[in-house]
Amino acid sequence: MNKLLKRITVRMVLSLVCPMLLAGTASAGEFDGFAGKRGQINIAGGTAHIPVMKNAAKRIMQANPGIRISIAAGGSGVGVQKVGEGLVQIGNTGRALSDDEIAKYGLKSYAFALDGVATVVNPKNKVNNLTSAQVQAIFAGRITNWKAVGGRDAPIHLYTRDEASGTREVFWEKLLKKGAIADNANVVASNGAMKTALAGDPDGIGYVSIGHIDKTIKAPRLDHVAPSQKNALSGKYPIVRKLYMNTKGEPQGLTAAFINYIKGPAGRKMTIDAGYLPLN
Amino acid sequence: MTVRLLHCAAAVSALSVLAIFGFLLWFSLPVFQGGALAALFSWHWRPMQGEFGILPMIAGSLCLALPTMLIAFPVALGLCAFIHGMGPAWAARPLIGMVRFMTSIPTVVYGLVSVFLLVPLLRSSLSGSGFSWLAAMLTLSLLVLPTIVLILDNQFRMIQSEIGLGALALGLTPAQQLLRLTLPLSSRGLLMAAALGFGRAIGDTLIPLMLAGNAPLLPHSLLDSIRTLTSHIALVVATDSQSAAYSSLFACGLILFIASFLVNLGLHDLRNVRRKGHD
């Protein structure tokens, strides 16, 4: 409810402010791909994509009143299904398509962003490095005291995310190797709430999207690799996923223009603003 | 004209309640039909392993709402007694003013203040992460307190305006008047305040979501993390709308709806019984 209200307020404020700003910030050529085009693009799927998609849609629609862009959530599975059945032009996924999916629907994938997930603790925590095995044992509830991993003698407080979270999905698949997460772990509803909880709890451990790491929390190295944007981009830090836009067959017209816009300079900036790393 | 408008308004509100019930029933139908009912009434919520038990959440809602009322109701009653005769008259007005002010504070402020004050306090003075049954219970008590106080205060005021002069003429002190006359006469108000307070406690989402820790487990101590039906709905609503986890939410909604319906029904019955007793 509150989220909804906030969204409505944000939308109202933006719709007031954007036209004023737009005149000043729209660089020449930003909307060239849309020149003379009219019509509708429907987008559905991954939730992580939504901030970038919404931002892009808002700017494109304001500059080109003839174009309507609708964005729906639903998760990666829904994204594949809807674009495959031809219900939407772009189906977003937070994972690479399986060979089955590509074969069944004839889909084309366009990766535009990299999202990394890091294990995080309170800044007062002395632990500076954790191995993958240690993280798995901690989240499964097999290691329950910080002393066992070189910290102070205190019980470990687990924090995790709800099942709808893409952050949780990457963390669970790539770092925990689909292992168990202890039932008694506290569940928080967003990356922001995770940060607040860990900033206050000296014995807590959780995980956030790399874009969310700041001074209030600390990300220990994972197997001696720092979870930085640089290491995520070079491939040294492995707990990452790409965000994809998928189309049925080669994208045409408006859809192609939209994908080019997201991958172009304006889209790259929006990707960075949303806390992700833009891909070429 | 006014009467007709009022009738329309009443019909619209009654119909929307019925529509909500129908909507919940319709959407939770697949859950009840597909033999998934047994899966729903299990103690394990592990959607990744295909287990969708919501019993821990039902227990969590009751564990939170009932003790919250056990704390908030006596305190509210005491506050009202203090305001209406048991305490000094000069303190009554600022006290009720403060309670009125408390009702106007948004829920999220209670939650936020507790995250930064109560949770660290519980964490450092007791044990665990601080996000717990206890934290949610204390904050929720504070949240429902003013609701109960205001209903009781209205009730007391009404009765005292009727019997005040008579009681004075009989030479009753304010305390005697409160204990012997006002309290026994306001039994209906007491019940109503308790029912509305309970409805508020079991329906609140933000406080348990922010403070209770949300682990889908039956708690063994006050410092354990619990998840209520309301915060469960808030947490899971963003998942894939085709999944079994998502349809189980409608069952949660239905249970909440039926719970508040039963409370109101019980209240209605009690009122009728009492009225017959008076006649």
Side-chain angles (χ1 to χ4, degrees):
Chain A
M1 194 62 215
N2 273 307
K3 237 184 211 170
L4 189 73
L5 271 178
K6 206 167 131 199
R7 210 178 290 160
I8 292 169
T9 333
V10 166
R11 213 175 267 181
M12 272 163 50
V13 170
L14 279 175
S15 61
L16 283 176
V17 173
C18 272
M20 295 184 238
L21 290 179
L22 211 59
T25 55
S27 49
E30 185 183 337
F31 303 107
D32 281 358
F34 300 98
K37 291 197 171 71
R38 300 181 69 80
Q40 165 110 18
I41 314 176
N42 296 312
I43 303 173
T47 45
H49 306 55
I50 288 181
V52 184
M53 299 286 138
K54 277 223 160 117
N55 235 332
K58 206 174 290 160
R59 280 184 69 92
I60 293 167
M61 287 193 286
Q62 262 153 5
N64 303 274
I67 298 174
R68 300 294 311 159
I69 303 175
S70 85
I71 298 153
S76 298
V78 173
V80 174
Q81 211 183 337
K82 284 200 168 169
V83 72
E85 302 289 350
L87 299 171
V88 297
Q89 286 76 50
I90 299 178
N92 289 327
T93 56
R95 56 173 172 78
L97 298 177
S98 69
D99 293 340
D100 283 348
E101 286 167 336
I102 295 172
K104 186 173 173 197
Y105 294 124
L107 297 179
K108 286 252 173 207
S109 285
Y110 299 87
F112 69 97
L114 194 72
D115 180 21
V117 177
T119 314
V120 284
V121 297
N122 186 275
K124 285 194 207 127
N125 198 318
K126 283 179 297 182
V127 176
N128 286 318
N129 183 67
L130 287 167
T131 65
S132 303
Q134 281 172 334
V135 175
Q136 286 159 15
I138 288 173
F139 274 89
R142 292 194 300 274
I143 295 178
T144 55
N145 195 302
W146 281 110
K147 220 165 83 177
V149 291
R152 67 180 191 138
D153 183 10
I156 296 176
H157 303 150
L158 289 177
Y159 292 86
T160 185
R161 292 279 308 278
D162 52 280
E163 287 85 13
S165 155
T167 313
R168 175 188 169 124
E169 202 180 310
V170 190
F171 185 77
W172 179 66
E173 276 181 15
K174 297 247 169 106
L175 185 44
L176 300 186
K177 307 287 179 213
K178 302 199 178 188
I181 296 177
D183 277 342
N184 64 358
N186 286 331
V187 182
V188 294
S190 66
N191 274 311
M194 180 69 91
K195 246 164 62 175
T196 312
L198 289 171
D201 188 346
D203 300 317
I205 186 169
Y207 49 87
V208 295
S209 170
I210 287 181
H212 280 85
I213 297 173
D214 59 16
K215 271 181 287 181
T216 63
I217 48 175
K218 177 175 116 174
R221 278 168 310 196
L222 178 74
D223 298 319
H224 302 287
V225 177
S228 63
Q229 305 222 347
K230 208 179 99 209
N231 286 339
L233 205 56
S234 73
K236 258 168 83 184
Y237 182 76
I239 315 303
V240 293
R241 59 162 171 179
K242 287 180 183 167
L243 302 181
Y244 298 87
M245 295 175 282
N246 305 288
T247 58
K248 194 175 171 99
E250 209 63 52
Q252 308 288 336
L254 259 186
T255 310
F258 184 82
I259 290 174
N260 286 335
Y261 181 83
I262 293 285
K263 290 177 73 78
R268 291 171 68 89
K269 187 172 174 306
M270 287 169 195
T271 305
I272 295 170
D273 289 346
Y276 305 127
L277 305 163
L279 291 172
N280 287 320
Chain B
M1 187 60 199
T2 329
V3 174
R4 192 167 293 170
L5 266 179
L6 283 176
H7 279 197
C8 274
V12 166
S13 0
L15 279 178
S16 29
V17 172
L18 276 179
I20 291 173
F21 184 68
F23 165 83
L24 283 172
L25 208 60
W26 177 255
F27 277 93
S28 47
L29 215 57
V31 186
F32 292 118
Q33 277 177 342
L37 200 60
L40 218 53
F41 288 97
S42 105
W43 287 101
H44 299 290
W45 173 262
R46 290 175 191 140
M48 300 295 173
Q49 280 99 19
E51 293 184 81
F52 302 101
I54 58 170
L55 283 184
M57 284 56 114
I58 297 175
S61 276
L62 291 176
C63 281
L64 189 60
L66 291 173
T68 294
M69 285 311 290
L70 286 183
I71 300 175
F73 193 76
V75 174
L77 195 58
L79 257 172
C80 276
F82 187 88
I83 291 167
H84 291 276
M86 300 296 273
W90 57 263
R93 195 175 269 274
L95 204 59
I96 194 76
M98 199 186 75
V99 172
R100 287 228 173 84
F101 174 67
M102 278 171 74
T103 43
S104 67
I105 301 173
T107 315
V108 66
V109 174
Y110 284 100
L112 209 61
V113 169
S114 294
V115 165
F116 288 104
L117 291 179
L118 182 63
V119 169
L121 185 73
L122 292 179
R123 177 161 50 221
S124 56
S125 57
L126 300 164
S127 70
S129 67
F131 291 96
S132 57
W133 184 7
L134 184 62
M137 194 167 86
L138 291 176
T139 312
L140 199 56
S141 304
L142 202 63
L143 184 79
V144 300
L145 182 74
T147 310
I148 306 175
V149 170
L150 289 185
I151 296 170
L152 287 181
D153 177 61
N154 274 340
Q155 180 78 15
F156 283 14
R157 237 171 249 277
M158 206 172 71
I159 287 172
Q160 285 189 336
S161 71
E162 280 174 25
I163 60 162
L165 280 177
L168 269 181
L170 287 171
L172 294 182
T173 64
Q176 282 171 325
Q177 184 193 337
L178 180 81
L179 289 178
R180 300 291 159 92
L181 292 173
T182 312
L183 264 182
L185 281 174
S186 47
S187 52
R188 258 180 73 190
L190 291 181
L191 274 175
M192 209 147 79
L196 281 172
F198 181 79
R200 183 116 209 249
I202 204 162
D204 191 81
T205 311
L206 211 55
I207 296 296
L209 186 65
M210 289 176 85
L211 299 172
N214 301 317
L217 286 179
L218 186 69
H220 296 294
S221 97
L222 277 175
L223 296 172
D224 278 355
S225 163
I226 63 169
R227 187 188 288 194
T228 63
L229 285 168
T230 47
S231 48
H232 181 65
I233 294 177
L235 280 172
V236 181
V237 76
T239 47
D240 182 353
S241 63
Q242 308 296 314
S243 66
Y246 193 81
S247 5
S248 81
L249 293 188
F250 292 102
C252 293
L254 196 65
I255 289 168
L256 278 173
F257 188 90
I258 291 173
S260 64
F261 181 72
L262 285 181
V263 167
N264 279 302
L265 200 69
L267 196 70
H268 187 77
D269 276 2
L270 271 175
R271 231 183 278 166
N272 280 351
V273 168
R274 214 161 281 274
R275 214 172 279 159
K276 267 180 205 149
H278 275 298
D279 287 345

